[in-house]
Amino acid sequence: MGPDFDEFYTQKRSSHARRGLRRKRKMLGDGGPHIFRGTDEATIERIVDVLVEQRNARAVTSGILSVFVVPGVRDLYRDVLIDSLSATSGPLAEAHALEVDGIIRATYIGGTHHGRDSCHLNSFREDELKNATPGEQLLLDVLKCCCERGLTQLDLGIGEMSYKVSWCKPDPLFDSSLPMTALGRLHALLAETKQSVKRSIKANPLLWKTILKLRRLRSHSHG
C-alpha cells in the first residue's frame, strides 16, 4: 500500500469493480453507512459481541465451527483490543464496524505491526443488505485508514476468497515436518498422512460435499 489510497485503489480494482462497489454502497442508504472504530471500552464490547454473533451464525450455514466455541476466545480479543487503547507504541489490534439504521452489518478486527495490517477476524450480517457487500464496504474504509496512517502492507489471512485475491497477491503455503526422535517420526508420519487424506477428500467432489454436510450437522449441534 502507499500513502495515496485513491492511487492504490485504482491499481488494485478495475473501473468496472469500482463502479460496482459505488453502486452497492448506495444500497446501504442515501446517507451512506456509519463506519466507526472501537476507541473506548463500551464500543469495543459492542463490536466484539456483534462479531461473535455474526461468526456463530455464519458457522451454522458454512458447517465450519466458529472459533468462539472455545471458552475464553471472545474475552481474549476483547482484552487485547482494550489494552491496545493505552499502548504507547501504537495499537496491537483495532476493531472497526459498519452500521446501517442502528444495526452493525459488518465488523473487522486487524492487528498492526511494522507497517503491516493483518486481518484477524471479520464478519457480516446475513440480512436484506447482504447483497450490498457490507464486509467489503467496510474493508474499503479500513484500507483508506491504513494508507492515511502510512501502513505499507496488507495481509487478509489464509483461505481462498475472491475479495482477498482482489487486494493481495497470494503467498504459497506449505506444511513441513522435521522429526528429531523416533516418537517425532511417528507423529510426522501421522501428520503427513492426515494432510494427504484431506487433499484427497477435497479433490473428490462427492466426498467433499459429504464432509460439508457433516460439518453443518456438527455446527448445528454446537449451536
Side-chain angles (χ1 to χ4, degrees), residues 107-138:
T107 70
Y108 178 101
I109 292 180
T112 57
H113 186 63
H114 289 311
R116 183 187 186 99
D117 183 83
S118 300
C119 178
H120 290 186
L121 288 170
N122 55 14
S123 70
F124 63 91
R125 180 183 172 92
E126 301 212 32
D127 59 15
E128 73 280 2
L129 294 180
K130 176 182 175 181
N131 291 336
T133 60
E136 190 161 13
Q137 300 293 338
L138 175 59

Side-chain angles (χ1 to χ4, degrees), residues 67-128:
V67 66
F68 294 107
V69 301
V70 179
V73 173
R74 177 211 174 272
D75 292 342
L76 172 64
Y77 274 97
R78 180 204 59 198
D79 292 346
V80 170
L81 288 165
I82 290 175
D83 288 347
S84 292
L85 295 176
S86 57
T88 56
S89 59
L92 295 173
E94 291 181 312
H96 302 255
L98 180 148
E99 182 181 66
V100 178
D101 296 331
I103 300 172
I104 293 180
R105 313 286 175 152
T107 70
Y108 178 101
I109 292 180
T112 57
H113 186 63
H114 289 311
R116 183 187 186 99
D117 183 83
S118 300
C119 178
H120 290 186
L121 288 170
N122 55 14
S123 70
F124 63 91
R125 180 183 172 92
E126 301 212 32
D127 59 15
E128 73 280 2

Side-chain angles (χ1 to χ4, degrees), residues 199-212:
R199 284 193 294 269
S200 298
I201 291 174
K202 288 186 176 182
N204 186 309
L206 180 60
L207 284 176
W208 184 233
K209 186 177 180 179
T210 301
I211 291 296
L212 291 177

Side-chain angles (χ1 to χ4, degrees), residues 36-66:
F36 59 95
R37 183 164 51 92
T39 56
D40 57 73
E41 292 190 19
T43 305
I44 287 173
E45 289 273 6
R46 182 184 177 213
I47 294 175
V48 171
D49 283 344
V50 171
L51 183 142
V52 172
E53 177 187 348
Q54 292 176 354
R55 295 282 297 201
N56 287 345
R58 180 63 177 168
V60 174
T61 57
S62 69
I64 300 176
L65 288 178
S66 167

